[in-house]
Amino acid sequence: VFATIDEAGAAIDRLPDVPVTFMLAVPPVVEEPPTWPVDDIRALDAKRAGEFVARFTEGRLVTIASPHYMEPAVPNEIVAEIERVLGMVGPSSL
């Protein structure tokens, strides 16, 4: 998550102000080693993702109960969010 946010943040001045959704996986089962500060890591993930989407007028942070690789776990939720964003921009914007 951090590298992606850092890379996107570095390019933010070159990005148009378009609808952006960041879907942040919050694994229902802790996948990290038991000695890791999982709550702190998750809080930092959410903070940085929230700061990124706040840069866009239509930025949105969605936390979703899913493993990190969410595509096979929650495909319907991903499709619904894509359709929501596409509905915001309309066919003339594509």
Side-chain angles (χ1 to χ4, degrees):
V1 171
F2 300 132
T4 302
I5 293 171
D6 289 340
E7 290 169 11
I12 197 74
D13 293 333
R14 298 185 311 266
L15 297 175
D17 189 17
V18 295
V20 170
T21 298
F22 192 110
M23 296 182 80
L24 179 64
V26 179
V29 176
V30 176
E31 298 171 346
E32 293 84 2
T35 57
W36 285 20
V38 174
D39 292 338
D40 293 340
I41 293 168
R42 288 185 180 176
L44 184 57
D45 283 349
K47 178 182 182 292
R48 296 206 54 207
E51 288 169 351
F52 174 73
V53 298
R55 297 174 181 184
F56 297 88
T57 303
E58 295 292 336
R60 173 174 147 103
L61 175 61
V62 176
T63 56
I64 189 160
S66 169
H68 179 74
Y69 297 104
M70 65 177 70
E71 294 85 351
V74 291
N76 295 337
E77 289 86 343
I78 295 168
V79 169
E81 188 60 26
I82 292 169
E83 289 175 343
R84 187 191 74 77
V85 171
L86 289 175
M88 293 172 68
V89 296
S92 63
S93 300
L94 300 177

